[in-house]
Amino acid sequence: MSLLDRINVCHQHDITRFRPFLVDGRQIGFMRPDLAEELRRFPSVFRVEPAGVRIARHLDTFDYRSAAIDSVMRELRLEGFIRGWRDEYFSIAAQYGAEPLFDLERAGVPLFGVKAYGVHLNGYVRRDGEIWLWVGRRAADRPIEPGKFDHLVAGGLPTGIKPFDNLIKEAAEEASIPKELTRRARPCGALSYRMELDGCLRDDTMFVYDLELPADFVPRNHDGEIADFRLLPLSEVERLLAETTDFKFNVGLVIIDFLIRQGYLTPDDPDYSALAMGVARKP
């Protein structure tokens, strides 16, 4: 096990195991085969064809598509096919910044294998010239990776909110970081990955922020998503990433990028080149 393993796990997938998902002739996702078969029951909304699954052509506006797809998702939820319903919607588009095609309940996003976005915050402090990183331990009832270590602040990007505004909201809910302090966070790029998880294809992009926190800052969780917080030296963070699977699957990608940007990992490390190119790897 190594830091490279943490990167590689975020890119493990077999695209041939999934069905292309198309809107207006454009492929925007990769659908789970069992979902494709379920959708045969809804021919007025989805057309399941040899070339893939597409939304019916008469659903030609954002509102029509969103309403029709949501009605199907809610029926599949009642039947127990869709679990982990959040009552939270993501805008689905061919690429970031493009015109949204429809809104989709968050629980359905990995089933469709469509692009999703989120924010991740490296919250750190300096002690005697060394950097220490705040991490949170996910609550035991989280639908994904319960009990694993996570960033101080992280969250998906719902419909109708900009990334930095979402960061401010999540920082207040997850770690009680005041708005005035969160506004000091520095955007540090975006990291993407595509991986299979629980039979689904996750095609995610994470917008990364760094925030140096006051030495006396102590995070407190309000939304129940984090069980507790720990402040760890980078040496311990690196050890946990390299030797265990204690961190949530995608957190390692962001932290390794942080270790490189902070100069903690240097070209003297024999894996440095592979790590630096690995975090920048495109799906």
Side-chain angles (χ1 to χ4, degrees), residues 201-244:
L201 189 71
R202 300 182 64 97
D203 191 351
D204 295 346
T205 294
M206 302 172 289
F207 298 116
V208 179
Y209 297 83
D210 289 352
L211 176 62
E212 183 171 355
L213 294 161
D216 60 353
F217 173 80
V218 178
R220 299 187 311 277
N221 182 252
H222 287 294
D223 61 10
E225 295 185 4
I226 300 297
D228 56 62
F229 295 97
R230 302 182 188 187
L231 183 60
L232 303 176
L234 291 189
S235 58
E236 177 64 4
V237 173
E238 180 190 16
R239 186 193 71 79
L240 288 171
L241 281 175
E243 299 179 7
T244 76

Side-chain angles (χ1 to χ4, degrees), residues 188-206:
C188 299
L191 301 172
S192 296
Y193 65 92
R194 180 186 287 166
M195 66 178 292
E196 290 184 50
L197 183 70
D198 298 331
C200 297
L201 189 71
R202 300 182 64 97
D203 191 351
D204 295 346
T205 294
M206 302 172 289

Side-chain angles (χ1 to χ4, degrees), residues 109-126:
V109 169
L111 293 171
F112 283 79
V114 290
K115 294 182 181 297
Y117 303 87
V119 294
H120 281 243
L121 178 73
N122 295 301
Y124 66 97
V125 300
R126 296 185 187 273

Side-chain angles (χ1 to χ4, degrees), residues 51-182:
V53 180
R54 63 178 176 88
I55 296 178
R57 296 190 185 281
H58 70 275
L59 300 173
D60 56 1
T61 70
F62 175 91
D63 289 339
Y64 287 160
R65 294 187 194 107
S66 298
I69 293 171
D70 192 54
S71 68
V72 173
M73 294 297 99
R74 290 181 180 276
E75 184 164 341
L76 293 178
R77 176 196 183 191
L78 290 175
E79 295 173 358
F81 186 87
I82 294 180
R83 301 178 180 179
W85 194 275
R86 311 276 190 93
D87 283 320
E88 184 177 14
Y89 288 82
F90 284 8
S91 289
I92 308 304
Q95 60 189 28
Y96 187 73
E99 182 178 357
L101 298 168
F102 58 93
D103 274 353
L104 180 64
E105 154 65 31
R106 182 172 183 172
V109 169
L111 293 171
F112 283 79
V114 290
K115 294 182 181 297
Y117 303 87
V119 294
H120 281 243
L121 178 73
N122 295 301
Y124 66 97
V125 300
R126 296 185 187 273
R127 286 185 173 179
D128 300 322
E130 300 292 329
I131 293 177
W132 291 55
L133 189 69
W134 278 107
V135 301
R137 184 168 59 85
R138 296 168 63 82
D141 62 354
R142 300 307 297 151
I144 298 175
E145 301 272 72
K148 294 291 186 77
F149 289 137
D150 204 338
H151 273 101
L152 176 63
V153 175
L157 187 62
T159 294
I161 186 169
K162 295 180 179 180
F164 195 67
D165 291 336
N166 193 45
L167 182 73
I168 291 173
K169 178 182 72 69
E170 294 286 348
E173 294 174 353
E174 294 191 355
S176 301
I177 304 177
K179 181 186 298 185
E180 296 74 19
L181 181 54
T182 305

